[in-house]
Amino acid sequence: MIAYGGDYNPEQWPEQTWADDVRLMREAGVTHVSLGIFSWSLLEPDEGVYTFDWLDRIMDLLAGGGVKVFLATPTASPPPWFGHRHPEALPVDADGRRWWHGSRQAFCPSSPIYREKALAIAEQLGRRYAGHPALAMWHVHNEYGCHNARCYCDASAAAFRAWLIDRYGTLDALNDAWGTAFWSQHYGDWEQILPPRITPSFANPAQQLDFRRFSSDALSALYRAERDLLRELAPGVPATTNFMGGSHWDIDYWSFAQEVDVVSTDHYLAGADPEPHVDLAFAADLTRSLKRDRPWLLMEHSTGAVNWQGLNRAKRPGEMHRNSVQHLARGADGIMFFQWRASRAGAEKWHSAMLPHAGTGTKIWREVVALGDLLREASDVAGSTVEADVAILLDWSSVWAQDHPAQPTDLLKPVEEIKRWHAELWRQGVTCDLAHPESDLSGYRLVLVPALYLVSDADAANLERFVEGGGVALVGPYSGIVDEHDRVRLGGYPGAWRDLLGVTVEEFFPLEAGETVPLAGGGAGTVWSEAARATTASVLDAYATGEPAWTRNEAGRGAAHYLTTLLAGEALARVLAAVCAEAGVATTDTPGVELVRRSHSDGRSFLFAVNHTDADAVVKATGTSLDGTPVDGRLTVPAGTARIVRERR
Ligand code: GAL
Ligand code: ZN
């Protein structure tokens, strides 16, 4: 079954509405709702005083209507009594300003009293609903770190020190890792160590990096505490928490994903992006990759406009449908929305929903009902996995380290680079995974490293092994530069991969905004240039001045390519097409028509075709369409629509 539904906030409506909700859910084919996400203040109106009767009634009503529940712990939004009675548990920013209650997520992730209160309400829910027929999964919290990813208060400082003691053991080890001989930062006592609060000049880069790691761990520790309690109270009920894959970068989802039973994520289109569906593909690919070969859930997206961008445009007819099929194609086993019924009041009253303000006689409602039908027809897709021959390496620590402001240029943005390469592959019709640099790469033909400034020795060796074993790699500039403590790898850049790439670099020459380096082979580089010397590599393209722009070095049974500048447009397309060809990765002959395959281990497979262009397209496919119509080699995908084919291969 493909799960279908959304966040359901019945507490915002008079109880007479609820029966109508359940009736309309059935009409739309809703199978699941996420319930109670922001209802802490109505479940525990005063500290230790609980009122579950309304939740009992709606749980029973949903069970009666055949709608399953992802029951939330409401810990993402502590009630006003919490901030009022425990002001020391409110978050504090780097400038020392305390944030008040009145919106949501006003708590310090390291506050002992927050943890106590969060576990108390989670325990109540676990005890009360463990055996409830509607309960399908725990939806722990909501979007950890969305607003309060880092807290700089004294409680957080103490927790940071404990985390550091655990990581380094001795102050000597910490002083060495952080390079504290620089600027007189040698620590003589753990108590002297602080979060990187506002200071006169740059903070210590390794301190800043460890604080990012600590803050990510503090959030996953909160999740684990709730999950462990729920597991004990309701054995066998799976747990998830909704990530923000591809749009928020404060949590190391590689490690957090190990803690959830099912990966779930939220995705919203960036309003100003002319091709938001390309970014959608990135988010879906990243989410799928967090637990490779396991289906995931799209916990939230929108039927139309959101409310939190500068300009919030509704979706065009068919756009929500294409978005949904894209997620499905890229491995989602559930398509859910924020939210079921559009709010009448509150900060999200201008956010679209499955049931809009205007009611059921609407474009949105018709599309919602149609999507429910489609997902029911596609139920045998569930459990199948996505095939990918290409991986793009991504590491949160590296992104965080490169976030330190004292860099050769502030124009080089790792996440943007990774997304740009992914987008170009999307244009060439290549489905790819994201992968942790230390993960098993042996199943891939091609590994791309657009931006990996920080690498551990193990990361570096892993890529070497992949290439020596016969793989093709392409590495972007300013990768392999520092170790896991953000200390430069000496002897010429890129220290980690000089031998693998057959290249050595002495100095960087970053470019001004708008400045370019013309390339002999056509096009130009932007943002970055460097004086590279090929030691064993051959030069495939060069700057007009003769310095290498693109090199290729054979290593073992494979080859490692390197770029010394950022390429865009045609130039990037040319290089990526070349490495795909070398690795034997097929590219598309119908650009703009997204083609992705999911398959079951027993051989059944599905071809998803999403036509993002204004013209009808014909793609190769053989099998039957969802309604049983035969597809004999050629499938017409009308402009702006999506098709799913049960393949015969
Ligand atoms: C998500 C959040 C939802 C809702 C939604 C609006 O970030 O989890 O609760 O706020 O955004 O787009
Ligand atoms: Zn704090």
Side-chain angles (χ1 to χ4, degrees):
M1 182 211 292
I2 304 292
Y4 184 48
D7 284 18
Y8 182 34
N9 299 303
E11 68 274 25
Q12 295 177 14
W13 298 95
E15 213 165 314
Q16 304 86 277
T17 320
W18 298 358
D20 226 32
D21 282 331
V22 175
R23 180 180 61 77
L24 290 170
M25 284 175 192
R26 294 177 68 98
E27 182 178 323
V30 165
T31 64
H32 290 78
V33 293
S34 295
L35 185 67
I37 297 178
F38 295 107
S39 42
W40 194 346
S41 69
L42 295 180
L43 293 175
E44 189 180 358
D46 197 2
E47 198 162 351
V49 178
Y50 298 104
T51 47
F52 288 109
D53 46 320
W54 69 268
L55 190 58
D56 292 350
R57 289 198 293 281
I58 188 68
M59 284 288 282
D60 293 349
L61 204 60
L62 288 164
V67 177
K68 294 279 184 196
V69 173
F70 301 148
L71 186 57
T73 61
T75 54
S77 197
W81 58 253
F82 176 81
H84 186 243
R85 198 163 299 153
H86 309 287
E88 76 289 356
L90 292 167
V92 172
D93 70 10
D95 296 0
R97 286 177 307 189
R98 206 170 273 288
W99 293 356
W100 303 98
H101 63 260
S103 63
R104 63 177 174 183
Q105 290 199 336
F107 65 89
C108 158
S110 299
S111 155
I113 188 77
Y114 168 75
R115 193 189 180 95
E116 185 188 317
K117 297 297 154 198
L119 290 179
I121 183 75
E123 181 179 349
Q124 293 289 326
L125 287 160
R127 283 194 193 292
R128 196 170 187 95
Y129 298 104
H132 197 283
L135 177 64
M137 180 158 65
W138 297 109
H139 179 302
V140 176
H141 202 90
N142 191 70
E143 293 187 339
Y144 276 101
C146 182
H147 312 295
N148 60 344
R150 292 188 290 286
C151 177
Y152 297 78
C153 78
D154 289 343
S156 292
F160 182 39
R161 288 190 283 268
W163 185 93
L164 291 168
I165 290 171
D166 201 42
R167 182 175 176 87
Y168 293 106
T170 66
L171 266 182
D172 282 350
L174 176 133
N175 278 309
D176 179 51
W178 284 16
T180 56
F182 179 81
W183 276 358
S184 179
Q185 292 172 355
H186 187 93
Y187 291 101
D189 189 326
W190 293 104
E191 287 303 308
Q192 297 162 356
I193 301 175
L194 294 173
R197 292 175 179 162
I198 187 167
T199 53
S201 183
F202 300 123
N204 179 308
Q207 172 199 16
Q208 180 163 307
L209 171 59
D210 273 346
F211 189 65
R212 300 288 293 257
R213 290 174 168 141
F214 152 78
S215 300
S216 172
D217 285 358
L219 293 167
S220 67
L222 284 176
Y223 169 81
R224 277 200 309 279
E226 287 196 31
R227 179 208 61 193
D228 290 350
L229 185 64
L230 295 167
R231 264 191 192 160
E232 200 182 302
L233 297 169
V237 178
T240 190
T241 184
N242 45 342
F243 294 161
M244 299 168 283
S247 55
H248 279 60
W249 296 91
D250 287 320
I251 292 181
D252 181 343
Y253 287 137
W254 291 130
S255 61
F256 204 145
Q258 304 312 308
E259 309 293 344
V260 298
D261 296 312
V262 177
V263 170
S264 65
T265 203
D266 302 342
H267 183 262
Y268 292 95
L269 302 182
D273 185 345
E275 292 182 312
H277 51 276
V278 181
D279 188 70
L280 182 160
F282 175 82
D285 288 347
L286 172 56
T287 306
R288 174 185 71 250
S289 304
L290 295 175
K291 265 196 201 291
R292 236 172 107 187
D293 297 334
R294 299 270 293 277
W296 53 278
L297 292 179
L298 178 66
M299 192 60 91
E300 296 178 17
H301 71 150
S302 71
T303 57
V306 298
N307 66 298
W308 41 266
Q309 297 173 350
L311 183 149
N312 300 297
R313 177 177 76 70
K315 288 186 181 175
R316 304 283 177 217
E319 191 173 2
M320 179 273 266
H321 178 82
R322 289 196 302 279
N323 297 159
S324 301
V325 176
Q326 276 190 280
H327 285 291
L328 190 68
R330 292 176 185 274
D333 268 9
I335 304 293
M336 314 269 297
F337 293 91
F338 178 85
Q339 61 176 326
W340 163 250
R341 186 186 277 272
S343 296
R344 179 172 193 191
E348 293 185 324
K349 63 181 179 297
W350 292 119
H351 200 289
S352 59
M354 298 173 82
L355 183 53
H357 290 147
T360 52
T362 51
K363 168 201 113 192
I364 285 187
W365 181 252
R366 284 188 293 277
E367 291 197 353
V368 160
V369 173
L371 181 59
D373 289 342
L374 173 89
L375 296 178
R376 204 174 27 246
E377 283 166 11
S379 60
D380 52 335
V381 167
S384 59
T385 55
V386 176
E387 299 171 10
D389 293 329
V390 182
I392 297 180
L393 301 190
L394 165 72
D395 182 34
W396 268 267
S397 278
S398 183
V399 169
W400 295 334
Q402 210 178 326
D403 218 17
H404 190 276
Q407 301 289 341
T409 171
D410 51 16
L411 298 179
L412 189 60
K413 307 260 189 246
V415 169
E416 280 178 23
E417 249 339 80
I418 290 168
K419 286 190 173 186
R420 266 171 13 85
W421 289 33
H422 182 276
E424 184 49 46
L425 281 182
W426 184 91
R427 277 183 200 100
Q428 300 196 13
V430 177
T431 305
C432 61
D433 288 344
L434 282 294
H436 185 278
E438 247 191 87
S439 63
D440 176 10
L441 302 174
S442 58
Y444 297 111
R445 293 165 180 271
L446 174 65
V447 169
L448 303 176
V449 190
L452 198 62
Y453 160 74
L454 175 153
V455 290
S456 67
D457 291 350
D459 297 344
N462 196 37
L463 186 67
E464 278 168 24
R465 242 188 336 269
F466 168 75
V467 173
E468 281 162 6
V472 177
L474 172 66
V475 177
Y478 206 51
S479 296
I481 299 292
V482 299
D483 70 8
E484 66 271 33
H485 302 299
D486 201 4
R487 295 177 303 199
V488 176
R489 293 178 173 277
L490 303 177
Y493 320 119
W497 288 318
R498 256 189 336 261
D499 290 344
L500 176 69
L501 299 171
V503 162
T504 185
V505 178
E506 289 173 33
E507 289 177 293
F508 304 136
F509 297 89
L511 306 172
E512 299 289 348
E515 194 188 351
T516 58
V517 277
L519 304 183
T526 61
V527 175
W528 187 268
S529 73
E530 58 191 24
R533 187 163 54 80
T535 49
T536 57
S538 37
V539 177
L540 302 186
D541 200 357
Y543 305 161
T545 53
E547 281 146 340
W550 172 19
T551 61
R552 177 179 182 278
N553 194 43
E554 290 181 3
R557 294 192 286 122
H561 293 245
Y562 180 56
L563 292 173
T564 67
T565 180
L566 297 204
L567 300 183
E570 281 300 301
L572 181 61
R574 180 160 49 93
V575 172
L576 286 175
V579 291
C580 282
E582 181 176 343
V585 173
T587 52
T588 187
D589 44 18
T590 49
V593 184
E594 191 169 337
L595 288 176
V596 185
R597 176 168 287 125
R598 285 182 71 165
S599 55
H600 287 288
S601 49
D602 62 11
R604 282 175 300 140
S605 68
F606 306 86
L607 183 71
F608 296 79
V610 186
N611 186 350
H612 298 280
T613 73
D614 309 330
D616 296 358
V618 177
V619 299
K620 289 189 212 90
T622 303
T624 50
S625 63
L626 283 190
D627 63 10
T629 319
V631 178
D632 291 321
R634 287 160 55 89
L635 172 73
T636 301
V637 188
T641 69
R643 293 283 183 269
I644 305 173
V645 176
R646 289 195 180 89
E647 289 188 296
R648 201 168 56 241
R649 280 209 277 173

